[in-house]
Amino acid sequence: MIKYDPKSLVAEEFINDEEIRKTLEYADANKDNLELVDQIIEKAKERKGLNHREASVLLACEDKEKTKEIYDLAEQIKKDFYGNRIVMFAPLYLSNYCVNGCLYCPYHQKNKNIPRKKLTQEEVKKEVIALQDMGHKRLAIEAGEDPVNNPIEYILDCIKTIYSIKHKNGAIRRVNVNIAATTVENYRKLKEAGIGTYILFQETYHKESYEYLHPTGPKHNYAYHTEAMDRAMEGGIDDVGIGVLFGLDKYRYEFAGLLMHAEHLEAVHGVGPHTISVPRVKHADDIDPTDFDNSLSDEMFCKIAACIRIAVPYTGMIISTRETPKVREEIIRLGVSQISGGSRTSVGGYAEEERPHDTEQFDVSDNRTLDEVVNWLMRAGYIPSFCTACYREGRTGDRFMSLCKSGQIQNCCHPNALMTLKEFLMDYASPDTKKIGEELIEKEIDNIGKEKVKEIVRERLVKIENGERDFRF
Ligand code: SAM
């Protein structure tokens, strides 16, 4: 029997199958125990989070009234920690060469239908210019795993190219990286290249399913993949983003595993994950999502987001364009703090006029342009933020978390959101978006607590009107 130990560095000890099973039994036994459910909700109201057992009880509870309380609390916690800001980003696909055999991913090595493509540095430049012309400041780079075609040197070259491009008023100010699990040495190189968050989805925490779904290639190794974030932290990366590909295995198992992973990172490194992503399996070339019989309803998907929000209030939550505008709207209300917009999931897709389908990683369900997404968010009362200040000011890892926990981070985030939105309005917005945005900024300036900060923001907004860029707190 493998013993559960959140402080262990061994995958099967910190993501412990027996502990997850016991958690699910405990949740089943207590899902109608409304007294316990009430106690857990009360604890969550303290805004210090919940452990995987407590959160699993809430997820299992089917009582309508309690579910509403959970949703209301998630919404309130989200407002308290993230205000009405939504951080914007876009994925940038560098290469779809891959030596793995992941059953759910069209990049799997045996798929001969898709043309394989890897961007040259010249092509990276074209993509980045197209992304800057949309207004993006923050990217998540994506690549298949292929030591020959996509070695770490290639990824590092791309990062350098991305940061070097200054087209008109554009700039990519934060590059997050979503590449396969790698060595401490390579994580150190990524850190030195100035990356923001290192993102790696676990796909599934269920070891047997994991091995079945990743039959061939280096990704087959469950322990190496599951322990990747510890190596990333050892390599000096203190902002890491975890996630599950929902639909592959039972969502309740994944939910408990996800929270155990967060607890493990906190226990060992003193800082939990910076973000949690909640992708769902989508149709793609050679991939039929119905082949995986663990798909979950939109309602349950939203409930998972609400439970994550109250279980780990300081962890940002990300939703991509895999989801429809309708689901995105609901899930943003319940807890998501970062979304992608105007995304293309194909290698070289941004520089092409038409949405190219032949190399798309998966079907996108929100096809709107970035301007349309920004417009939609503002009409729904949110402030789209292009802020990248924290990591550039060294507010990462435990420094970021302690500012977040004390609530002080709001003093930076809110004004930074308004100033970066102003840049977007000046440089990239359509007339209608600009009009709504200017009104929103005017209204939101009043929500800046400190008079002195308010004054500085007003001065800087005028400077942005006059062509200056990149102010931050
Ligand atoms: N190759 C890297 C790795 O192995 O982690 C990461 C890059 S991959 C482009 C990014 C993520 O896309 C994967 O971690 C997986 O969760 C997700 N993905 C793969 N196939 C998908 C599908 N059919 N639908 C939705 N998401 C998918």
Side-chain angles (χ1 to χ4, degrees), residues 108-124:
H108 70 84
Q109 196 179 30
K110 285 201 189 126
N111 187 359
K112 302 288 176 225
N113 297 337
I114 56 163
R116 299 288 165 169
K117 202 170 163 184
K118 166 186 169 183
L119 298 180
T120 61
Q121 294 311 308
E122 205 38 51
E123 286 166 332
V124 171

Side-chain angles (χ1 to χ4, degrees), residues 162-287:
I162 295 167
Y163 278 134
S164 74
I165 295 160
K166 301 279 176 296
H167 170 71
K168 300 185 184 161
N169 280 336
I172 298 302
R173 300 171 182 158
R174 176 175 178 132
V175 178
N176 296 334
V177 174
N178 184 188
I179 60 164
T182 186
T183 59
V184 174
E185 196 189 325
N186 285 348
Y187 285 126
R188 198 162 283 128
K189 289 178 184 166
L190 288 170
K191 171 74 184 173
E192 281 160 12
I195 70 161
T197 311
Y198 171 65
I199 301 163
L200 182 69
F201 301 156
Q202 178 64 29
E203 321 299 7
T204 173
Y205 283 99
H206 189 275
K207 185 172 181 245
E208 238 169 77
S209 305
Y210 181 94
E211 288 173 347
Y212 164 75
L213 290 160
H214 306 96
T216 53
K219 195 163 170 176
H220 178 71
N221 188 335
Y222 177 81
Y224 190 74
H225 189 81
T226 310
E227 293 159 10
M229 292 315 191
D230 298 290
R231 291 196 301 280
M233 293 250 184
E234 199 186 328
I237 298 175
D238 49 7
D239 281 351
V240 299
I242 62 175
V244 151
L245 187 53
F246 281 101
L248 297 181
D249 207 302
K250 307 261 181 303
Y251 69 85
R252 293 175 61 202
Y253 193 101
E254 306 295 17
F255 176 77
L258 202 50
L259 292 182
M260 282 164 80
H261 201 173
E263 288 162 23
H264 160 72
L265 294 174
E266 176 98 41
V268 175
H269 308 281
V271 50
H274 190 67
T275 54
I276 290 182
S277 298
V278 288
R280 281 197 283 188
V281 183
K282 295 280 305 179
H283 171 268
D285 185 279
D286 209 31
I287 306 296

